[in-house]
Amino acid sequence: MKMIRLKIDGKLVVAPEGTTILNAALKAGIYIPHLCYMEMKDIGYKNDCASCRICVVQVKGMNRLIPSCSTPIKEGMEVVTNSSEVMHKRRVVLELMLSDHPKDCLICGKNGNCELQKLAISFGIREMRFAGKEGKHDKQHSVSITRDITKCIMCRRCETMCGEIQTCGILTGVDRGFDVIVNTAFNKNLLETNCTMCGQCVAVCPVGALYETDNTFRLVEDLMNPKKKVIVQVAPAVRVA
Ligand code: FES
C-alpha cells in the first residue's frame, strides 16, 4: 500500500493513499469537527456526502476552503485546520444550521446527547444571529422510533444507514431549500412503511430528528402543549400495615 506524506497544522503525517484529510488528521490526534460524516470500517461503508461543511480546512495553494471528509490526501499537501478564517467559516456554517433549527433543547429527546448542541457549545454560540424559516412538521411516534423531522439537518446518515447498509430504503431526501429533509415517501408514518424498526437510523442521527420513543418525553410534550388536555393519573398510595 502506497503511503502518502503530508503536513497537517505543521505536523508531519503519514497515511495510506486514499485516506481522507479528516481521517488522516483524526488518526494523527488532530481533531476536526464533523457532523454528516460517518464511517463503518468493519463493513466498508461511509457517508461522505459532504453536506454539512463543518469539517472545512485550508490547503496551501488552494484559494477556497474544502471539506476534509471527502478530500483525499496528496503527497506534500499542507493542511491548516484551525486558522482564524477556518474557524470563522465553520462558525458561520454552524450558525446557519441553527438558524432554522427548533430551539427546544430542554424537551428534546437528544438533549445532552446531540452533536449539534455539543458543537454549538464548543463554538460558544449563545445568541442566534440569523433567523431561518423553521419547518412545520408534526412529530411522528411509532412503537420504538420517534421522528421529529423539523430537526433534520440533512446529514443523510440515516438515509445511508437505511438504504445502503440495512437495505430497507425507507428514508430519503425530499424537497428543496429550507424545506429539505430526510423523510419517508409521501410523509408516511414509519408504521405504514416496510420499516423493520431496527433502530439503526436512530443510532446514527446526530440530532433529535430520530430518537427512541420515550413515553416520558411524550407526556412532557403534551403537558407543554396548551391545546392538549392531559390528565395525569397518580397511583394511589399504598398503606403499609
Ligand atoms: Fe465533512 Fe459534513 S463532515 S461536510
Side-chain angles (χ1 to χ4, degrees), residues 137-138 140 147-152 181-183 187 209:
H137 302 277
D138 287 337
Q140 288 185 6
R147 292 197 312 135
D148 188 358
I149 44 183
T150 313
K151 292 187 178 145
C152 177
I181 43 168
V182 171
N183 202 352
N187 192 25

Side-chain angles (χ1 to χ4, degrees), residues 34-37 50-55 67 69:
H34 48 282
L35 261 182
C36 65
Y37 184 76
S51 63
C52 77
R53 304 278 154 161
I54 286 290
C55 69
C69 68

Side-chain angles (χ1 to χ4, degrees), residues 8-38:
I8 306 179
D9 294 342
K11 181 178 179 181
L12 179 67
V13 174
V14 184
E17 189 175 30
T19 307
T20 58
I21 296 175
L22 175 68
N23 273 333
L26 293 177
K27 263 219 163 119
I30 300 165
Y31 179 69
I32 300 176
H34 48 282
L35 261 182
C36 65
Y37 184 76
M38 163 186 88

Side-chain angles (χ1 to χ4, degrees), residues 29-86:
I30 300 165
Y31 179 69
I32 300 176
H34 48 282
L35 261 182
C36 65
Y37 184 76
M38 163 186 88
E39 185 167 8
M40 311 194 90
K41 286 201 185 101
D42 38 345
I43 51 172
Y45 264 107
K46 61 183 173 188
N47 178 41
D48 57 356
C49 61
S51 63
C52 77
R53 304 278 154 161
I54 286 290
C55 69
V56 288
V57 292
Q58 254 169 342
V59 171
K60 199 176 168 192
M62 291 183 93
N63 56 6
R64 62 186 171 88
L65 300 186
I66 53 163
S68 61
C69 68
S70 62
T71 309
I73 53 171
K74 288 203 179 106
E75 188 66 40
M77 212 177 211
E78 284 186 40
V79 181
V80 178
T81 71
N82 55 8
S83 67
S84 55
E85 189 193 344
V86 170

